[in-house]
Amino acid sequence: MGGFFQEGPQLTNPFAGRTLYKDYLQKTAPDTFPKIQTELIEFGERIVSKYHPLSVLAETNHPKQIRYEAWGKRIDHIEMHPAWDQMQSMVAEDGIVACAYERKFAEYSRVYQMIRIAALHPSSAFVICPLSMTDGAARVLELLKPGPFAEDYFKKLISRDPKRMWTAGQWMTERSGGSDVSGTETMAEKDGEYYKLYGTKWFTSAITAQLAMALGRIRDGDKDLGLSLFCLEIRNAENRLNNIQMNRLKDKLGTKAMPTAELELQGSQARLIGEVGKGVKNISSILNITRIYNSACAVGTLNRGLMLAKDYGHKRKAFGRYLKDHPLHVRTLYNIELRHEAQFHLLMRVAHLMGKTELNQSSAEENYLLRLLTPVLKLWTAKESVRGISELVESFGGAGYIEDTEIPRLYRDVQVFSIWEGTTNILSLDVLRVLRKEGTLDPFWGWYNESVNKLTGAPQLKSDLLSQGEQLMNFLSSAMAEGQEALTASARNLAMGLGQLASLASWIDYAHTSKSMDDVFYRKVSDILAYFERNLDLKVLGEDEIHHQRALLFDTL
Ligand code: MFK
């Protein structure tokens, strides 16, 4: 067969050659990097040659629910493709969760973990999702130390032995709410040293896990003692479900290889974890970790899209030139490249803060920053990945819309980031929760200004960045002065603005410590700042405008 055939984009090792991940690690840890370089290159090689083909298999052979065995007994077995099981073994051996608890790289252990997750995620068919909850469960057990049983669970959750490693799910969402969990209907009845859980869990991802963390409500007679956190083994030693019926698997927009189920808890035996009535607070330790995983996956997906698009730019010719030589194409991709790099630096900053906090080596300001920047990072990277990937899919033209190029999957899967573990608006409101609880954003401004002041070689850029900070501060003051409704209506723009500034401060800190403040760096930061300025809406809505918008949207029907 003759004629023209286009060569497709090539997946390459994210830790070999000149890549952002390698460059970052090399410059951040010049002493450690040479010792781990070979191991990282091998990991990158496994992503390309082992994980990726398995992920394609898992993505084309979706999980199936087998409700009954041949003789009519209800079993609710989930049939997974062997490729998924193989990947689960490989992530255990690669210590994706374990490395955070082995703490081999001290305060940089989470940086090391998150950079590997970002590299692996787009070739993992969402095996990272159960790992995020596994990690969160390990952390909550480590923090709350609920009893001797927890030590055994903890060891299993962080094991590198695929035969021994357990994964965990996090069961929070019910029909009554994914965002507002206060309406949780699951009841917990005391049963000796255990509790029995009764209720329906509406979104339970990774139902193939061994352990789950779930919210349930305890009553003392007529008195509601509020929501508490429980831990339960999903199956017993005979592999039978713990009084759980699986109603059905969800048919989701993306994340097709990863089973998400609706469950009926029919007296499932569970243990109380932490104080009665402190369920939301306790589960938030899990949420904060899964939210950072979410960002690593979002940033990693955007990086993957960019790597493929850049490779394709050298291969695809149109109108007599390669795509890389078309100015409009270059301009479109350059913008995404800079936004991605900014997000990457914020992810690394938050991972570093998490690593320090877990070693109890963080200052009060750093604890504050971790709490504030976690929702900011999550909401901003999620939204940016959707925008970026949409553009990158388009950059492949019709090929980007065809399943077996594997590009559409990036698009389908990226949409989950802004929903999974809290929507953009819910996370924006979480930023206001921090502000309300701490009463100030001063530690943020302190860090931001200190970072910007490191730009001694670029006075104009420094002054532009300080002025951008002031504009966001003024926006917040005006919204607060306008009243609670105006502040709430401003929460998303505030959070986006914080995300932008925090990413630039993180990038500057990195360039400063790694002594890489060169002209290219200044140029990139100036360009992205100009883009951020053009795209951030800092208008505070008064009561009248909020009322007008509500009436226009909802009162006309
Ligand atoms: C991988 C693929 C996935 C497949 C498909 C998935 C599709 C999506 C399925 C889903 O359903 S994802 C949805 C997951 N749900 C969430 O992420 C929850 C979203 N909602 C929130 O995050 C709410 O903000 C929250 C439920 C936490 C609010 O609840 P409340 O009851 O209004 O909390 P409240 O009373 O403000 O806070 C209770 C305590 O927790 C407070 O502490 P104190 O008691 O000491 O004052 C808060 O400060 C604390 N807290 C709340 N959020 C926290 C936190 N502490 C630390 N970090 C946080 N993030």
Side-chain angles (χ1 to χ4, degrees), residues 338-339 341-343 345-346 373 376-377 379-381 384 387 444-445 447-448 452 465 468-469 472 492-508 525 528-538:
L338 292 194
R339 276 154 49 202
E341 198 164 342
Q343 290 163 54
H345 283 291
L346 181 56
L373 294 181
V376 164
L377 169 78
L379 75 91
W380 187 54
T381 54
E384 283 284 311
R387 287 179 62 196
F444 175 83
W445 299 123
W447 166 58
Y448 179 72
V452 172
L465 281 159
Q468 185 71 3
L472 193 65
R492 184 193 273 238
N493 298 22
L494 171 70
M496 293 285 181
L498 289 172
Q500 295 176 356
L501 297 187
S503 70
L504 296 176
S506 307
W507 200 347
I508 294 167
V525 175
I528 195 63
L529 177 67
Y531 173 82
F532 285 161
E533 275 176 336
R534 284 195 301 274
N535 286 278
L536 189 62
D537 173 8
L538 294 182

Side-chain angles (χ1 to χ4, degrees), residues 36 40 44 55 78 142 184 211 213 267 277 306 311 340 368 378 428 476 486 489 520 547 554:
I36 58 169
L40 277 172
S55 74
I78 301 291
E142 186 180 51
T184 294
L211 206 67
M213 297 284 172
L306 274 164
D311 184 57
H340 165 257
Y368 173 100
K378 192 295 198 178
S428 304
L476 174 60
V520 175
H547 178 75
F554 295 111

Side-chain angles (χ1 to χ4, degrees), residues 126 129 172-173 178-182 203 205 252 255 258 260 278 280-281 284 287-288 291 371 416 419-422 426 430 433 436-437:
F126 267 85
C129 170
M172 189 165 60
T173 302
S179 298
D180 179 4
V181 300
S182 64
F203 260 101
S205 281
K252 296 168 288 177
T255 71
M258 204 249 328
T260 301
K278 292 280 178 202
V280 172
K281 192 173 174 65
S284 64
L287 283 178
N288 289 337
R291 285 172 180 169
R371 174 69 185 95
V416 84
I419 298 173
W420 169 34
E421 305 304 47
I426 285 298
D430 193 41
R433 182 183 281 105
R436 208 169 44 240
K437 198 160 179 175

Side-chain angles (χ1 to χ4, degrees), residues 507-525:
W507 200 347
I508 294 167
D509 285 348
Y510 159 75
H512 186 252
T513 37
S514 64
K515 299 189 176 53
S516 49
M517 274 196 194
D518 53 16
D519 286 346
V520 175
F521 163 76
Y522 290 135
R523 181 99 186 244
K524 285 201 279 193
V525 175

Side-chain angles (χ1 to χ4, degrees), residues 177-399:
S179 298
D180 179 4
V181 300
S182 64
T184 294
E185 292 176 319
T186 294
M187 298 304 300
E189 291 178 7
K190 189 99 175 86
D191 181 35
E193 60 175 308
Y194 294 96
Y195 283 80
K196 283 191 166 166
L197 301 184
Y198 296 89
T200 306
K201 295 290 176 186
W202 188 237
F203 260 101
T204 58
S205 281
I207 183 60
T208 46
Q210 287 78 16
L211 206 67
M213 297 284 172
L215 286 183
R217 190 177 298 283
I218 302 178
R219 280 186 181 282
D220 182 8
D222 284 347
K223 195 165 168 223
D224 183 353
L225 302 181
L227 294 176
S228 302
L229 182 60
F230 295 89
C231 174
L232 62 147
E233 292 185 27
I234 298 178
R235 289 169 192 272
N236 64 17
E238 288 80 50
N239 204 27
R240 295 191 64 84
L241 285 164
N242 177 2
N243 292 328
I244 298 167
Q245 182 172 294
M246 210 173 291
N247 290 345
R248 59 177 164 168
L249 287 181
K250 297 272 196 197
D251 187 5
K252 296 168 288 177
L253 168 66
T255 71
K256 297 273 190 189
M258 204 249 328
T260 301
E262 293 167 20
L263 301 180
E264 207 71 43
L265 307 181
Q266 301 171 331
S268 312
Q269 191 181 61
R271 292 178 196 265
L272 177 68
I273 302 271
E275 222 180 299
V276 172
K278 292 280 178 202
V280 172
K281 192 173 174 65
N282 287 335
I283 209 166
S284 64
S285 304
I286 305 179
L287 283 178
N288 289 337
I289 288 186
T290 49
R291 285 172 180 169
I292 298 170
Y293 266 74
N294 177 306
S295 295
C297 295
V299 172
T301 308
L302 196 49
N303 185 52
R304 172 64 60 83
L306 274 164
M307 282 172 76
L308 294 175
K310 285 192 271 184
D311 184 57
Y312 197 58
H314 288 274
K315 291 174 172 166
R316 177 69 175 168
K317 248 184 186 170
F319 305 106
R321 295 200 259 185
Y322 285 108
L323 294 183
K324 71 178 178 59
D325 298 320
H326 284 276
L328 189 51
H329 186 69
V330 172
R331 186 173 181 172
T332 310
L333 258 55
Y334 178 71
N335 191 283
I336 306 172
E337 169 91 356
L338 292 194
R339 276 154 49 202
H340 165 257
E341 198 164 342
Q343 290 163 54
F344 169 79
H345 283 291
L346 181 56
L347 170 68
M348 291 297 102
R349 173 74 196 179
V350 171
H352 184 211
L353 287 168
M354 177 161 57
K356 270 189 111 169
T357 312
E358 290 176 347
L359 291 173
N360 297 318
Q361 288 174 358
S362 49
S363 63
E365 283 75 18
E366 287 171 322
N367 293 342
Y368 173 100
L369 280 181
L370 178 62
R371 174 69 185 95
L372 176 75
L373 294 181
T374 299
V376 164
L377 169 78
K378 192 295 198 178
L379 75 91
W380 187 54
T381 54
K383 217 61 187 168
E384 283 284 311
S385 69
V386 177
R387 287 179 62 196
I389 287 293
S390 167
E391 196 66 70
L392 290 166
V393 167
E394 188 179 329
S395 79
F396 291 96

